[in-house]
Amino acid sequence: MSQMFDVAIVGAGPVGLAAAIACKRVGLSYVVLEKGCVVNAIFEYPTYMGFFTTAPELEIGNHPFVTGHDKPDRRDALMYYRLVTQREELNVRLYTEVKRVHAAPAGFTLEVEAQDGSGDVVEARRVVVATGYYDNPLQLGIPGEDGENVSHYYTEAHPFMGLNVTVIGAGNSAADAALDLWRGGANVTMIVRAPELKPTIKYWVRPDLENRIKEGSISAQFNSQVVEIHPEHVLVQRADGTTWELPTHFTFALTGYRPDLSFLSGLDLAQQADECLVLDGHYQSTVPGLFVVGSAGFAGKTNQVFIENGRHHALHAVAEIERQLAPLREEVLSGR
């Protein structure tokens, strides 16, 4: 008979790990189910990316995050969360994807699939979803988007020296990529649907990008959108409906990301008009016992939920789970 866990945590990002540590500290049995590696989203970040927050705001489980920089970078974060996972000896099952969550008499049943394709079932009294959103890019829905010369993720500039590169988007990811590509020797053109760059671009990045556009180092086409992607060019449509071909060797479609909660589709989850889930003060959904922490529950507000505040969601959720399961634990201890 399979073990019944008190809590199944979906996602081994910083918020999911924070939930696991909280469970361990209060004596709740738990398992973390992660379809990739530990902090997989951070692993997928640009190679030389730096965080725009200080190390203490990224800490979990009261483990000090020590770095020699004012603000940590991707490598610092990978090492920190990896070491925390090891030192806490967290029960994490990596490369194990949750395919479906079902309500069950004693809580929930989770259908999971291992990397080799084999299936399994995990049972838990409560579920904490901490999947984030970075693994689900917004699709443009245009011809050629699935081509080998297109990516929704940016890594580094080195392979693109001397090439024509199109960056679709006008937010932080697009701004960082455009500047890095230009400094790496690429010929960069930004295609922006709006009449200007997004106001949410980091305040120290925006002037740099605006100056590069003003001097012509980076080309920016506003009020425009890419409608087709081909091996050697993209077809760009202006606001007046006219189109033109932009020579392009590679395209980065950096237009944002959204949580993918399709594995919860069998449950009756209520959401608000902005696509955010209906959650109570403990981040419990409208399905009793199912908690959604971090950015996973905030599809319409992904620019407002980060590691810094998401890690606190995990603590609130686990505190409520401990309260809910206290009577059951007392029964077990008393032998009733």
Side-chain angles (χ1 to χ4, degrees), residues 265-327:
S265 61
L267 302 173
D268 188 19
L269 282 173
Q271 67 177 31
Q272 304 175 58
D274 61 1
E275 298 182 49
C276 294
L277 294 181
V278 176
L279 304 171
D280 66 16
H282 302 286
Y283 301 94
Q284 183 170 211
S285 71
T286 50
V287 176
L290 180 74
F291 296 76
V292 184
V293 297
S295 57
F298 294 87
K301 299 178 181 177
T302 53
N303 64 338
Q304 298 178 31
V305 183
F306 311 98
I307 298 172
E308 299 94 298
N309 49 8
R311 59 186 179 154
H312 299 302
H313 297 184
L315 303 184
H316 288 296
V318 173
E320 174 61 12
I321 292 172
E322 181 189 18
R323 186 194 68 78
Q324 292 180 7
L325 297 184

Side-chain angles (χ1 to χ4, degrees), residues 154 167-183 188 190 197-198 201-202 205-206 208-210 218 254:
Y154 178 70
V167 176
I168 304 173
N172 279 301
S173 295
D176 288 339
L179 286 167
D180 194 50
L181 285 162
W182 169 68
R183 292 193 167 94
V188 184
M190 298 182 70
L197 299 171
K198 284 188 176 181
I201 291 179
K202 292 168 285 192
V205 172
R206 189 183 187 92
D208 188 5
L209 180 57
E210 289 177 334
I218 294 175
L254 305 177

Side-chain angles (χ1 to χ4, degrees), residues 175-238:
D176 288 339
L179 286 167
D180 194 50
L181 285 162
W182 169 68
R183 292 193 167 94
N187 305 311
V188 184
T189 300
M190 298 182 70
I191 303 297
V192 183
R193 183 190 294 265
E196 60 183 7
L197 299 171
K198 284 188 176 181
T200 53
I201 291 179
K202 292 168 285 192
Y203 67 86
W204 64 93
V205 172
R206 189 183 187 92
D208 188 5
L209 180 57
E210 289 177 334
N211 287 333
R212 302 294 77 74
I213 293 173
K214 184 177 180 179
E215 70 187 17
S217 298
I218 294 175
S219 174
Q221 302 296 323
F222 295 98
N223 296 309
S224 302
Q225 60 181 318
V226 174
V227 293
E228 292 180 15
I229 301 176
H230 298 270
E232 296 296 332
H233 74 272
V234 296
L235 187 65
V236 183
Q237 184 179 69
R238 304 182 183 90

Side-chain angles (χ1 to χ4, degrees), residues 1-240:
M1 183 177 296
S2 62
Q3 177 184 358
M4 168 67 79
F5 292 97
D6 289 326
V7 187
I9 301 165
V10 187
V15 177
L17 296 177
I21 294 171
C23 286
K24 180 181 177 182
R25 300 272 168 89
V26 298
L28 293 171
S29 63
Y30 71 92
V31 62
V32 182
L33 304 167
E34 167 58 53
K35 69 179 183 179
C37 60
V38 169
V39 292
N40 195 79
I42 296 176
F43 174 72
E44 297 286 353
Y45 284 175
T47 306
Y48 305 109
M49 191 211 79
F51 285 84
F52 33 97
T53 190
T54 59
E57 293 176 296
L58 302 176
E59 292 175 353
I60 59 174
N62 295 319
H63 291 272
F65 190 162
V66 180
T67 174
H69 316 295
D70 291 337
K71 297 175 181 178
D73 58 24
R74 170 182 172 274
R75 184 181 180 187
D76 294 327
L78 291 176
M79 181 178 296
Y80 171 75
Y81 293 115
R82 188 170 64 245
L83 289 174
V84 169
T85 302
Q86 292 173 327
R87 289 172 179 172
E88 286 281 355
E89 297 182 327
L90 297 179
N91 183 24
V92 180
R93 290 174 57 178
L94 300 176
Y95 303 101
T96 302
E97 182 176 2
V98 176
K99 306 297 287 187
R100 190 73 61 190
V101 177
H102 305 277
F108 299 90
T109 299
L110 296 83
E111 297 178 23
V112 302
E113 183 177 280
Q115 192 175 26
D116 62 5
S118 61
D120 195 4
V121 172
V122 173
E123 295 181 293
R125 296 182 177 88
R126 300 292 184 270
V127 171
V128 175
V129 176
T131 51
Y133 62 87
Y134 194 62
D135 61 346
N136 188 45
L138 286 173
Q139 299 294 312
L140 299 173
I142 60 175
E145 185 175 10
D146 58 352
E148 294 183 358
N149 63 331
V150 184
S151 177
H152 290 278
Y153 296 95
Y154 178 70
T155 51
E156 57 182 300
H158 180 78
F160 307 100
M161 181 190 71
L163 300 184
N164 298 323
V165 180
T166 295
V167 176
I168 304 173
N172 279 301
S173 295
D176 288 339
L179 286 167
D180 194 50
L181 285 162
W182 169 68
R183 292 193 167 94
N187 305 311
V188 184
T189 300
M190 298 182 70
I191 303 297
V192 183
R193 183 190 294 265
E196 60 183 7
L197 299 171
K198 284 188 176 181
T200 53
I201 291 179
K202 292 168 285 192
Y203 67 86
W204 64 93
V205 172
R206 189 183 187 92
D208 188 5
L209 180 57
E210 289 177 334
N211 287 333
R212 302 294 77 74
I213 293 173
K214 184 177 180 179
E215 70 187 17
S217 298
I218 294 175
S219 174
Q221 302 296 323
F222 295 98
N223 296 309
S224 302
Q225 60 181 318
V226 174
V227 293
E228 292 180 15
I229 301 176
H230 298 270
E232 296 296 332
H233 74 272
V234 296
L235 187 65
V236 183
Q237 184 179 69
R238 304 182 183 90
D240 62 7

